[in-house]
Amino acid sequence: MSTSCRSCRTGCTVIAVAVSLVLGVIAAFLRITAAVTVTPAFLWVLLGISVVYLAVVLISSALYRKGCCEDLCSIVNALLAGILGTVLLSVVLLAIEFAATSILGAVLTGTLLFFFFLTVTSTACLVRCFFDCND
């Protein structure tokens, strides 16, 4: 563990985006082949998780100690993009019904899961950064 936080690089954010992109593409493929269907209950759960997550990030940012990680902005930007993308696409998919094998529905579902996994993976980067910084 270092006290200078030099280990919090944008590499973690790049890895988070890459992993989320792979999982989003897999989800889109599974949706287009009708192997996986997305129910409204699932969309409501993702919407609720994202809204609560946004509130938690807002509260935790008010309690945050300044001066820990130098690359914290890239992680927080990825986290906020994931949250807002999940909220937006959940609302769009709740408002518009798509056929099980619809190409547009598969693309939107894959993008929704990309943003949701981006939220999860960038949270892991944030925890790693805080853990390295708080020796």
Side-chain angles (χ1 to χ4, degrees), residues 28-85:
F29 177 74
L30 291 174
R31 169 75 192 257
I32 196 90
T33 59
V36 172
T37 58
V38 177
T39 63
F42 178 72
L43 297 173
W44 280 110
V45 166
L46 287 184
L47 180 63
I49 288 171
S50 296
V51 169
V52 170
Y53 209 96
L54 187 60
V56 168
V57 168
L58 176 66
I59 292 168
S60 64
S61 67
L63 302 174
Y64 172 68
R65 282 188 296 152
K66 301 277 187 218
C68 185
C69 292
E70 60 189 37
D71 291 328
L72 186 64
C73 286
S74 65
I75 297 170
V76 171
N77 286 338
L79 180 64
L80 289 175
I83 292 170
L84 295 176

Side-chain angles (χ1 to χ4, degrees), residues 123-135:
T123 301
C125 289
L126 189 64
V127 168
R128 183 179 148 248
C129 184
F130 285 157
F131 181 74
D132 286 343
C133 293
N134 294 325
D135 288 342

